[in-house]
Amino acid sequence: MASEEHYGLTTFDEFLTYWGEQRPDGIALEDGERVTTYAEAERLTRQLIAYFHANNIGKGDMVAWLGRNSDRYFLMLYAAARMGAVIAPIGWRLAPPEIAYILSDTGAKLVVAEDAFLASAEEVAATLDPRPRVVRDDIAFAEVANMEPVDYAPPHENDPVLQLYTSGTTGNPKGAQLSNRNLFALRKPSLDEQVPWQIYGPDDCMLAVMPCAHIGGTGVAAIAAANGVRILVMPEFTPGGVLDAIVKGATHMFLVPAALQMVIQHPQASGTDFSNLRYLMYGAAPMPLELLKEAVRTMPQTGFLQVYGMTETCGTVTMLPPEDHVLEGNERMRSAGKAVPGVTIEVRGADNAEVPRGEIGEVCIHSPSNTAGYWNLPEATASTIDPDGWLHTGDAGIMDQDGYVYIQDRIKDMIISGGENVYPAEVENAIFGHPAVAEVAVIGIPSERWGEEVKACVVCKPGAELNAGDLIAYTRERIAPFKCPKSVDIIPEMPRNASGKILRRQLRDPYWEGRDRQVS
């Protein structure tokens, strides 16, 4: 059978059926001692569909996962995508109120949780009406093992099968709905153009190490399943674990810059043989040029691919190819690359018209990978996706004459810290209740480790005193630790414009002076 025969497939159901027949003994998932072949994955996902049916889950119904990266999560994703249910992974680092919001918003009938997070899941579920069933992952899969595979009708390729939550400017996250078509539609254009890094061999191995509640963690599973290659699952990121995975045969991976920095600066890195690693994708946060040059020096045989995208685009819509990465550095290494095949990008002005090349504007994307919208948020959907199907990213950028996109800043105030999206409004809402706080503005400041880190600028109430450590601890009780401020500035008053709006840029600028405000 010709190797190109799978190029036109566009759904998890088609890929699992195909690779279950063509590579039945090929490894689909490896998670510690658990190894699943493609033939086993094909059968297990049909057993999972039976399990979902037994839990009254049909097309369009939601199933939540609360845990770290796991082969069990990916099998649940595959099963949901085959039958048209929607899987919603929840970040395991979120605080209980945040977990409660997501579960309530999804209306999930079933929550599968790892043991470490089971108590939190049960505590939250008890507050919801209707109350979802909560089951520990190993118990659920013990039940699955006793199920007979069932017949099912695959969903339409545009039906949602994955719901990823992205932080919202109002403080509540938004559920971006993604379909089989969204996840796979850009694959064939790249294969038609014979893009080298889109061509996988049977011995290739994708490392899944970024959190599965993010597109950077779940998206690699779609790549691997489409190409019939092994996914090596790491429950969570550790630099030593990544280095070990490379030695064990990981050929492809995606890392955020903060993670990449920890890997190449780890003591173990100097003695690691990187020859197995064919391609390393990086993005989702600022990438300092000096760090990128150090990475290229450390892994000279690896092809580096800078990628730019967002949850709403299923990840990558631009790519800076390996040939634009050089040891001495160059201007293009500051860019996010060019649109990948199948994607159109324009930089537009306030009138929604494309600006001339070299001028700054909002980066807008037209792609079959664009989400159809946010779950139950028609106004948010309409403000992000215009009537012609262009997705407005909120990022300010410049496109040069060759089509390379340079992201300059964020039109919105989002902070990206270690690849995690943090919105100031969400953090401010958590801080405002402190009895000593009169006003607060949250900003992102440079961090050598995380790219950016969260800082709170606070005006105290008259006569009140505030300890920075106490305020940070107070915030950690209300939101996830990665969203909490790492530092606090006590200031006498907020800078404001004539209409009374806080001038965040005025608070940020002293920290960014002399730096490239680049986001990749």
Side-chain angles (χ1 to χ4, degrees):
M1 185 172 290
S3 60
E4 303 85 32
E5 196 164 295
H6 61 87
Y7 282 11
L9 306 183
T10 59
T11 69
F12 275 110
D13 185 61
E14 291 173 335
F15 284 119
L16 286 165
T17 300
Y18 180 84
W19 293 119
E21 295 172 351
Q22 298 301 310
R23 291 184 188 162
D25 298 324
I27 297 174
L29 292 157
E30 181 178 342
D31 186 349
E33 298 299 315
R34 292 196 300 265
V35 176
T36 306
T37 67
Y38 270 96
E40 290 167 339
E42 199 283 327
R43 177 180 171 83
L44 263 172
T45 50
R46 288 188 290 117
Q47 289 176 289
L48 270 163
I49 292 170
Y51 179 78
F52 288 160
H53 287 172
N55 281 274
N56 196 32
I57 293 164
K59 284 186 178 178
D61 289 330
M62 302 245 190
V63 179
W65 166 263
L66 182 57
R68 300 171 301 172
N69 293 349
S70 170
D71 58 333
R72 290 168 173 162
Y73 161 72
F74 291 121
L75 287 165
M76 288 171 56
L77 166 66
Y78 298 169
R82 296 190 82 173
M83 64 167 283
V86 182
I87 187 83
I90 301 173
W92 59 269
R93 295 194 295 169
L94 296 181
E98 296 169 305
I99 296 171
Y101 177 82
I102 292 174
L103 283 182
S104 176
D105 189 56
T106 60
K109 294 181 177 180
L110 175 68
V111 182
V112 180
E114 288 188 312
D115 186 50
F117 313 105
L118 185 66
S120 293
E122 290 177 334
E123 177 185 344
V124 168
T127 68
L128 302 178
D129 185 19
R131 180 174 180 169
R133 181 190 179 201
V134 177
V135 60
R136 201 172 70 202
D137 64 328
D138 57 339
I139 293 175
F141 273 76
E143 294 181 37
V144 169
N146 295 318
M147 294 276 184
E148 284 297 318
V150 295
D151 293 329
Y152 60 93
H156 188 276
E157 64 174 10
N158 289 326
D159 289 342
V161 296
L162 172 65
Q163 188 155 305
L164 296 177
Y165 277 81
T166 177
S167 294
T169 55
T170 59
N172 287 326
K174 303 188 293 290
Q177 294 207 300
L178 304 175
S179 67
N180 275 289
R181 181 171 183 266
N182 293 149
L183 288 160
F184 295 114
L186 292 179
R187 180 171 175 270
K188 189 172 186 299
S190 287
L191 292 173
D192 288 342
E193 294 191 19
Q194 291 292 292
V195 177
W197 47 88
Q198 291 282 19
I199 299 173
Y200 290 75
D203 296 326
D204 282 335
C205 172
M206 177 68 74
L207 180 66
V209 62
M210 292 290 98
C212 64
H214 297 263
I215 190 62
T218 285
V220 297
I223 296 172
N227 292 284
V229 301
R230 173 171 59 129
I231 302 175
L232 183 58
V233 181
M234 279 183 61
E236 59 183 299
F237 169 80
T238 65
V242 170
L243 292 166
D244 288 341
I246 293 169
V247 174
K248 291 176 183 176
T251 60
H252 295 70
M253 66 180 64
F254 170 79
L255 296 176
V256 299
L260 177 58
Q261 180 177 22
M262 293 180 204
V263 169
I264 64 176
Q265 295 179 355
H266 192 276
Q268 187 179 328
S270 60
T272 297
D273 179 0
F274 290 99
S275 59
N276 284 330
L277 186 59
R278 292 178 57 209
Y279 291 106
L280 191 150
M281 298 173 283
Y282 66 92
M287 170 63 89
L289 182 58
E290 290 305 313
L291 171 59
L292 183 50
K293 288 161 61 177
E294 183 182 357
V296 173
R297 285 194 298 269
T298 303
M299 308 175 185
Q301 296 171 290
T302 299
F304 283 82
L305 301 163
Q306 179 170 184
V307 296
Y308 167 77
M310 54 201 303
T311 302
E312 291 86 342
T313 64
C314 287
T316 301
V317 289
T318 75
M319 187 169 286
L320 185 73
E323 57 265 30
D324 283 325
H325 293 75
V326 294
L327 284 174
E328 62 272 20
N330 59 37
E331 185 59 27
R332 281 185 175 173
M333 286 169 69
R334 298 182 184 275
S335 81
K338 298 194 291 186
V340 300
V343 172
T344 305
I345 296 178
E346 292 183 359
V347 176
R348 296 183 171 187
D351 59 356
N352 203 26
E354 187 174 12
V355 301
R357 296 289 175 98
E359 292 189 12
I360 194 166
E362 183 177 16
V363 178
C364 298
I365 299 164
H366 201 280
S367 169
S369 65
N370 286 355
T371 177
Y374 299 111
W375 170 249
N376 283 342
L377 293 172
E379 292 182 3
T381 299
S383 67
T384 301
I385 304 170
D386 69 25
D388 295 321
W390 286 84
L391 189 144
H392 294 244
T393 67
D395 288 333
I398 294 170
M399 184 180 289
D400 69 15
Q401 295 300 323
D402 296 318
Y404 287 77
V405 179
Y406 295 76
I407 308 299
Q408 301 299 306
D409 208 330
R410 282 175 289 280
I411 293 173
K412 301 169 185 177
D413 288 320
M414 185 177 73
I415 300 162
I416 303 180
S417 182
E420 297 278 5
N421 295 347
V422 182
Y423 278 89
E426 187 177 11
V427 185
E428 289 163 0
N429 288 340
I431 292 173
F432 265 125
H434 191 283
V437 173
E439 293 184 293
V440 59
V442 167
I443 59 173
I445 65 171
S447 167
E448 293 302 318
R449 184 174 189 184
W450 304 113
E452 288 184 275
E453 66 182 39
V454 179
K455 175 181 280 291
C457 301
V458 175
V459 176
C460 292
K461 291 179 181 178
E465 293 185 359
L466 183 63
N467 176 274
D470 290 343
L471 182 65
I472 294 170
Y474 175 88
T475 312
R476 287 173 70 94
E477 295 175 2
R478 288 156 178 78
I479 55 175
F482 70 83
K483 300 178 184 179
C484 296
K486 298 289 191 297
S487 58
V488 178
D489 285 352
I490 309 298
I491 59 177
E493 62 180 3
M494 288 290 173
R496 299 179 183 275
N497 63 14
S499 64
K501 182 178 180 180
I502 294 174
L503 299 173
R504 295 181 190 276
R505 181 172 291 278
Q506 193 168 319
L507 294 169
R508 283 196 304 256
D509 281 350
Y511 296 98
W512 290 95
E513 188 174 354
R515 292 176 176 261
D516 289 319
R517 182 83 163 141
Q518 300 288 336
V519 181
S520 40

